[in-house]
Amino acid sequence: MPKMSTGETPYSLVYGTDAVIPVEVGEPSLRCFRKSGPQNDDSRRQELNEVVEQREMAYVRMVTQKQQEERYYNKRAKIRTLKVGDYVLKAKTRESKDPREGKLGTNWDGPCKIMVAASKGSFILEAVEGKRLPNNCNITHLKYFKF
């Protein structure tokens, strides 16, 4: 089946022609009947010459689809910028929740202060008491805190 991103079948991108199942070769069909003898050789040579162009067009279609998906995602993405010195709340993990609190317990720890931006979207936090937290925290697990 043709892929949505390229518009071509993987077989045709590799071998330069559509796949023919053995039943079509054994049984006389219109598809195989037209392709026989020297005319088949000429059409096969022409297909092989056009394989590079076909692959390039499939690559262009694939890149275009990825760019469209990226634009669609970026339109709806909520950009949250946090900087060093901001106070945030850190989401509690299942392990850090107190089982005695039940489902009505708090879902956030904090406030914590951002000390260092470790990498893109990852931060090193410090508790209000001045104790540095042992692990980096991803921005998806943080919420801006206003005093």
Side-chain angles (χ1 to χ4, degrees):
M1 292 297 295
K3 295 217 174 227
M4 289 295 293
S5 59
T6 59
E8 301 287 340
T9 62
Y11 187 89
S12 68
L13 289 175
V14 172
Y15 297 108
T17 185
D18 290 328
V20 179
I21 59 175
V23 173
E24 289 182 343
V25 174
E27 298 275 326
S29 67
L30 186 60
R31 181 177 175 187
C32 292
F33 180 71
R34 287 186 179 170
K35 303 220 176 189
S36 61
Q39 184 183 10
N40 183 31
D41 295 340
D42 294 337
S43 66
R44 181 70 181 134
R45 282 189 200 98
Q46 181 67 24
E47 286 176 356
L48 290 175
N49 290 337
E50 295 172 356
V51 167
V52 175
E53 183 179 329
Q54 182 183 9
R55 289 179 185 153
E56 289 173 357
M57 291 303 297
Y59 179 75
V60 167
R61 284 192 297 268
M62 184 178 65
V63 169
T64 303
Q65 183 189 16
K66 286 183 180 182
Q67 289 172 345
Q68 288 173 346
E69 289 173 0
E70 183 180 2
R71 280 193 302 268
Y72 178 82
Y73 174 79
N74 289 338
K75 272 196 256 181
R76 285 150 180 79
K78 294 179 184 176
I79 298 172
R80 296 188 298 156
T81 55
L82 297 174
K83 15 182 216 295
V84 174
D86 285 348
Y87 285 91
V88 294
L89 295 175
K90 181 179 176 256
K92 281 189 177 180
T93 61
R94 184 177 293 160
E95 292 79 25
S96 65
K97 284 187 180 181
D98 187 5
R100 293 174 287 158
E101 291 180 348
K103 68 179 185 179
L104 297 178
T106 60
N107 294 325
W108 298 93
D109 281 333
C112 301
K113 185 177 181 181
I114 296 177
M115 297 307 296
V116 179
S119 64
K120 187 176 181 181
S122 178
F123 300 97
I124 296 174
L125 304 177
E126 180 181 85
V128 176
E129 302 85 34
K131 182 181 173 189
R132 190 173 181 169
L133 298 180
N135 298 327
N136 293 355
C137 193
N138 194 321
I139 194 167
T140 58
H141 303 290
L142 298 176
K143 184 185 346 182
Y144 185 75
F145 180 74
K146 299 177 200 170
F147 279 105

